Amino acid sequence: MDPRIDRYDRLWTPWRLEYVTDPDSSSNGCPFCLADEHGDDERVIHRGEHAFVLLNAYPYNPGHAMVIPYTHTDDYAALSHDEVTEIAALTQRTIRALKAAAGPHAFNVGMNLGTVAGAGIADHLHQHVVPRWGGDTNFMPVIGQTRVLPQLMADTYAMLKPAFDAAE
């Protein structure tokens, strides 16, 4: 390769190829329903009566979790009172667990309802809980369209699961 054209270093992320080449979750089934049905114990932090907490497979930061209703819907207004209440309670519990386990300085919490709103998986709503630290913003996402995560998913799970269980 001509060094005058491209002087960038490469950070390879081959595990994202499946997501990049087939971002439409409907082709292989809903990944949230599949995680629930197949007992994805490497990422499921907690199973409640109406919703569960799952570590994001493509996290923005270590500890990036999602609170997901078992009901496969894209319509928040269609959820029952009990479902909405449990999603809120599990969101609070996830925040308490992350504070205890990882000490983040702040959080981003919210839902992207619909593709136009930024939902990567638009057909099954989910609430994001993203821990944030003062120094977690760098040039990689902005310039390199790459996230650098300082912790493996298994280590994040091992850190967060006991704190979540204790955060009732």
Side-chain angles (χ1 to χ4, degrees), residues 60-65 98 104 106-110 128-133 136:
Y60 290 108
N61 280 333
H64 179 175
L98 283 163
F107 291 90
N108 290 113
V109 175
H128 291 269
V129 180
V130 183
R132 301 300 303 265
W133 290 268
D136 70 11

Side-chain angles (χ1 to χ4, degrees), residues 48-51 69 71 76 78-90:
E49 184 177 346
H50 302 287
T71 301
Y76 185 76
L79 293 176
S80 72
H81 175 77
D82 290 341
E83 289 171 312
V84 171
T85 299
E86 186 169 55
I87 289 168
L90 289 176

Side-chain angles (χ1 to χ4, degrees), residues 139-146:
F139 72 95
M140 290 297 285
V142 176
I143 304 299
Q145 298 171 335
T146 302

Side-chain angles (χ1 to χ4, degrees), residues 4 33 70:
R4 294 172 295 166
C33 292
Y70 293 118

Side-chain angles (χ1 to χ4, degrees), residues 2-51:
D2 185 343
R4 294 172 295 166
I5 295 173
D6 185 350
R7 294 187 177 134
Y8 295 103
D9 290 328
R10 301 291 190 272
L11 179 62
W12 301 103
T13 57
W15 55 88
R16 290 187 51 84
L17 182 62
E18 181 180 347
Y19 178 77
V20 171
T21 58
D22 187 15
D24 181 9
S25 65
S26 64
S27 66
N28 297 317
C30 172
F32 301 146
C33 292
L34 291 172
D36 174 39
E37 292 167 7
H38 298 294
D40 190 346
D41 293 332
E42 295 177 355
R43 293 180 34 227
V44 174
I45 297 295
H46 175 78
R47 294 179 188 282
E49 184 177 346
H50 302 287

